[in-house]
Amino acid sequence: MPIVRSSEQKSMTLEDFYADLSTSSPPGYEDVGRGMLLLINMINRMFTETKIWGLTSLARLVLRNKDDFASEWYIIIGNAGNTFYIEYLLPEDKRPWHNAYVRGEAGSLEEAGKYLLIAMKECEGWVGNVELEQLTSAL
């Protein structure tokens, strides 16, 4: 199942949002839009059965495991050209404080895909997901 934009932001799809950002945004955001479109396409290729809900916040992509306004922001991905910034929420029993995130940088789309898989596993937002288990077993 392709990544789906959360219903609280249903005015346009994630792809439409980032396509718009890549063509008619303030200067400097063109690369952000293009990079995020590549990332979304990669996520859609990797996960064909898994439900992933996305919303946008300040041009970043937030990934959640359900379409619920109150659900956790498990993964937050930003982009600046060829660099992707990936954050994942630590599981509650591992957090040194409320809403603690791990943050890292990926220097390529391929590396961002690898880090995304690690983040999805480590945040425990998709526990028991067969596709994720298959994809992370190859890491």
Side-chain angles (χ1 to χ4, degrees):
M1 171 177 189
I3 185 171
V4 177
R5 191 154 195 192
S6 298
S7 61
E8 66 259 29
Q9 293 182 332
K10 60 184 174 184
S11 65
M12 64 174 65
T13 67
L14 290 168
E15 291 87 351
D16 289 343
F17 175 83
Y18 287 113
D20 188 51
L21 195 62
S22 70
T23 59
S24 63
S25 63
Y29 276 87
E30 299 88 354
D31 289 342
V32 173
R34 285 190 289 273
M36 296 307 275
L37 284 170
L38 292 171
L39 180 77
I40 290 168
N41 288 333
M42 181 183 63
I43 293 170
N44 287 339
R45 284 191 312 273
M46 290 192 309
F47 293 97
T48 59
E49 301 295 323
T50 302
K51 291 184 178 180
I52 302 174
W53 301 95
L55 60 87
T56 57
S57 175
L58 303 172
R60 300 172 304 164
L61 177 61
V62 177
L63 302 181
R64 302 184 303 178
N65 63 1
K66 56 187 163 187
D67 186 19
D68 180 352
F69 178 75
S71 67
E72 299 278 14
W73 287 25
Y74 283 108
I75 299 171
I76 304 169
I77 306 170
N79 173 261
N82 291 325
T83 304
F84 291 86
Y85 302 93
I86 301 173
E87 303 176 42
Y88 71 86
L89 181 65
L90 282 168
E92 195 167 337
D93 64 334
K94 297 177 183 173
R95 294 178 196 166
W97 53 78
H98 181 68
N99 285 335
Y101 281 83
V102 172
R103 183 174 190 262
E105 295 180 14
S108 68
L109 181 63
E110 180 181 288
E111 192 174 38
K114 179 181 175 182
Y115 292 176
L116 171 67
L117 295 175
I118 293 168
M120 288 178 74
K121 181 178 180 180
E122 293 298 321
C123 75
E124 298 180 2
W126 289 268
V127 172
N129 181 284
V130 175
E131 280 184 310
L132 181 60
E133 289 175 9
Q134 289 172 346
L135 290 165
T136 56
S137 70
L139 295 178

